Amino acid sequence: MTASLHTVAAAPVLGLIQLPHGAGLALPAYETEGAAGMDLRAAVSEGEPLMLAPGARVLVPTGLIMEIPHGFEGQIRPRSGLAAKAGITCLNTPGTIDSDYRGEVKVILINLGEAPFEISRGLRIAQMVIAPVTQARIELRSAAGETVRGAGGFGSTGTG
Ligand SMILES: O=c1ccn([C@H]2C[C@H](O)[C@@H](COP(=O)(O)OP(=O)(O)OP(=O)(O)O)O2)c(=O)[nH]1
Ligand SMILES: [Mg+2]
């Protein structure tokens, strides 16, 4: 039997605290067995949707405080359906949720489409991937070791 990704015994536990304005909203969830990201919902007031004009951006509350285990991060990514259909994306994608952050998680959406976009309560606005992170030890050095690439970049290997 194949275990689903999220029932692996060693899976990290994501702690969630639902704030009062998030109460009643469905918790973030993996929509399919193999989904990489869990969808996040807009915790805007019922009956008071946010209208996002073309070109405008907005900080959308999720109504959630998270306890991401040490050694992991949350990556906030756009949903392709919103992007393809309406030009809605996350401005700072992938947004970084640090494991020591204890404020409300918010999603920065921007409307790159041509029409105003309505964000109503409960709309699945983005997805969050939990990913391992490594903190490097930093060493100040006097020079960098030589490589074939050297300082070539930004298209140095050609286009074809
Ligand atoms: O899309 C995002 C990005 C960040 N955050 C929260 C969680 C994160 O841990 C914190 C800081 O994010 P980041 O380091 O990207 O922002 P900053 O501008 O460097 O702020 P800070 O100086 O607080 O680190 O803000 C969100 O809620 N949503
Ligand atoms: Mg920062």
Side-chain angles (χ1 to χ4, degrees):
M1 195 183 114
T2 314
S4 71
L5 285 179
H6 48 291
T7 55
V8 171
V13 175
L14 172 66
L16 294 175
I17 293 94
Q18 210 166 26
L19 294 163
H21 60 278
L25 285 181
L27 293 178
Y30 296 102
E31 297 293 325
T32 63
E33 191 187 20
M38 57 183 89
D39 285 352
L40 303 177
R41 295 176 183 271
V44 299
S45 300
E46 191 79 59
E48 290 176 41
L50 288 174
M51 285 305 291
L52 194 52
R57 63 179 185 269
V58 67
L59 208 49
V60 185
T62 63
L64 293 167
I65 290 173
M66 299 188 179
E67 282 193 272
I68 296 173
H70 188 70
F72 293 85
E73 63 160 332
Q75 298 177 354
I76 307 285
R77 305 184 188 178
R79 293 188 66 210
S80 63
L82 295 181
K85 289 177 197 152
I88 300 297
T89 190
C90 298
L91 178 57
N92 59 329
T93 187
T96 304
I97 311 300
D98 301 290
S99 64
D100 58 353
Y101 178 66
R102 293 295 179 268
E104 179 179 9
V105 170
K106 296 181 181 175
V107 176
I108 308 168
L109 291 182
I110 185 164
N111 184 351
L112 300 180
E114 301 78 35
F117 183 77
E118 184 178 298
I119 302 166
S120 54
R121 184 173 179 79
L123 183 73
R124 287 180 287 141
I125 47 174
Q127 58 187 317
M128 182 177 73
V129 172
I130 299 294
V133 290
T134 302
Q135 283 185 335
R137 290 176 293 111
I138 294 170
E139 286 179 3
L140 186 62
R141 296 177 178 169
S142 55
E146 282 186 22
T147 65
V148 172
R149 173 180 284 276
F154 314 101
S156 69
T157 62
T159 53

